[in-house]
Amino acid sequence: MPSKAVSAGMQVPYEVKDSEFGKGVFAKQNIKKGTLVWKFVRGVNVRSFKGPKATRDFLKSLKNNKEQREWLDHCYHSGGTVNDVLDDGRLFNHAAGKKATTSPGAGDDPLSSYAIKNIKAGEEILEDYGTYEWPVWFVKVCREFNSDMSYFDIKLKPGVAGFQVK
């Protein structure tokens, strides 16, 4: 009997094309609000690092500052781990607020991305990175490795003590 489990990664027809932000992911057909767009499966399409030491150790293993900054720009934090997306989901670009088309946890799975509005064929799939919570230790690691995370002011968890802007 075939498994009904959803496989990891992109769940909708898409293509990778040039975007105003570099490379981006674009819908090949209309996607309805609420649709599972990208599926998170730790160990399959996501590699995770628990805490600052594991994150720093991985960053130090990369070849140069450019690779370190690129990695920091494409990972995200959830549940005490930094998650490194290994498939085309890493190419979702950032758009704040109403410009975003997907969000994690807008469906049954809090770590996977769902359409938060109807997405038209040909439209770029954009995620609001501000929906992720970023602990102070991660912000420090990013600054230590010279990553310019310009959207940190919206990424940080409200109510965390101390300065949360550069």
Side-chain angles (χ1 to χ4, degrees):
M1 181 175 251
S3 170
K4 292 190 179 202
V6 176
S7 62
M10 295 298 293
Q11 304 296 307
V12 296
Y14 73 99
E15 60 186 330
V16 174
K17 300 190 312 188
D18 289 331
S19 160
E20 66 179 286
F21 310 107
K23 292 290 183 193
V25 178
F26 292 78
K28 286 187 83 172
Q29 66 185 39
N30 292 338
I31 301 168
K32 290 185 180 186
K33 178 180 178 179
T35 300
L36 174 61
V37 174
W38 178 82
K39 176 74 175 161
F40 174 108
V41 180
R42 185 172 281 123
V44 176
N45 66 332
V46 178
R47 172 176 46 186
S48 298
F49 302 89
K50 186 91 171 152
K53 181 179 181 338
T55 303
R56 276 190 186 92
D57 288 348
F58 177 74
L59 283 163
K60 289 175 184 175
S61 77
L62 297 175
K63 292 179 191 173
N64 54 49
N65 289 345
K66 182 181 178 193
E67 281 189 11
Q68 292 167 341
R69 284 191 306 274
E70 187 172 312
W71 185 82
L72 286 166
D73 289 345
H74 291 96
C75 63
Y76 66 97
H77 176 271
S78 180
T81 61
V82 174
N83 300 293
D84 178 17
V85 177
L86 303 173
D87 61 17
D88 286 341
R90 68 184 167 76
L91 298 174
F92 284 4
N93 286 308
H94 169 68
K98 293 181 179 182
K99 292 181 181 179
T101 59
T102 63
S103 181
D108 296 335
D109 178 354
L111 297 175
S112 296
S113 295
Y114 294 81
I116 55 175
K117 62 183 179 182
N118 292 331
I119 304 170
K120 295 178 183 170
E123 186 176 353
E124 185 170 8
I125 298 172
L126 300 168
E127 188 138 307
D128 186 349
Y129 297 168
T131 60
Y132 299 107
E133 294 177 355
W134 294 91
V136 172
W137 69 260
F138 185 78
V139 175
K140 289 179 182 177
V141 168
C142 287
R143 293 193 178 130
E144 182 181 321
F145 286 88
N146 300 312
S147 176
D148 181 25
M149 305 294 271
S150 60
Y151 37 79
F152 264 148
D153 58 327
I154 60 170
K155 281 186 168 187
L156 294 170
K157 187 173 185 177
V160 173
F163 286 102
Q164 296 190 33
V165 294
K166 292 180 185 178

